[in-house]
Amino acid sequence: QVLLVESGGGLVQTGGSLRLACAYSGRFFNLASLNWFRQAPGKEREFVAAINWMTDRTMYADSVKGRFTISRDNAKFTLWLQMDNLQPNDTAVYLCAARLQGANAYAYWGQGTQVTVSS
């Protein structure tokens, strides 16, 4: 069981920055990756970024590459998403998710944090 709790969302102007946090706790022995997704009103949930649990290798959606940075602090059991040069189409609920080894689906999800970018 893995518990994920996001924080750090808010209202920011176009071009601004926010840093989201996802506190994780529980049993990590079979984790494959920690991930950020987002869901805007009326749209499907979309992948944003991922970090491999064993190697720290990262990957990003094309829409955020060069603007967002995923990282983690194992000492603080926290996953981060640094978001720079935010645009109105980045407005969404941002969720963190954990994928287990050998699985394609994401087994654990946080409750989400709202990010609103004003134009």
Side-chain angles (χ1 to χ4, degrees):
Q1 184 76 16
V2 177
L3 180 64
L4 304 169
V5 180
E6 302 95 334
S7 61
L11 174 65
V12 65
Q13 292 185 335
T14 297
S17 297
L18 279 176
R19 188 172 73 159
L20 304 183
C22 174
Y24 51 88
S25 59
R27 296 168 63 87
F28 312 132
F29 68 92
N30 60 342
L31 281 184
S33 64
L34 292 173
N35 309 264
W36 286 100
F37 283 77
R38 66 186 181 186
Q39 188 164 19
K43 294 187 177 181
E44 292 188 355
R45 186 173 295 179
E46 66 170 341
F47 169 80
V48 175
I51 186 165
N52 185 285
W53 182 255
M54 297 298 293
T55 67
D56 280 343
R57 181 179 178 183
T58 59
M59 60 185 300
Y60 298 91
D62 287 343
S63 58
V64 306
K65 203 171 292 184
R67 300 187 299 123
F68 290 12
T69 303
I70 187 172
S71 62
R72 63 173 179 161
D73 185 335
N74 284 340
K76 297 182 179 179
F77 299 98
T78 301
L79 176 72
W80 304 99
L81 185 68
Q82 176 68 40
M83 305 186 296
D84 298 317
N85 191 22
L86 283 161
Q87 303 298 311
N89 59 6
D90 293 317
T91 295
V93 174
Y94 283 72
L95 308 102
C96 62
R99 186 171 64 85
L100 302 181
Q101 294 175 15
N104 290 325
Y106 297 87
Y108 302 104
W109 292 85
Q111 82 290 349
T113 186
Q114 176 70 47
V115 171
T116 302
V117 184
S118 64
S119 57

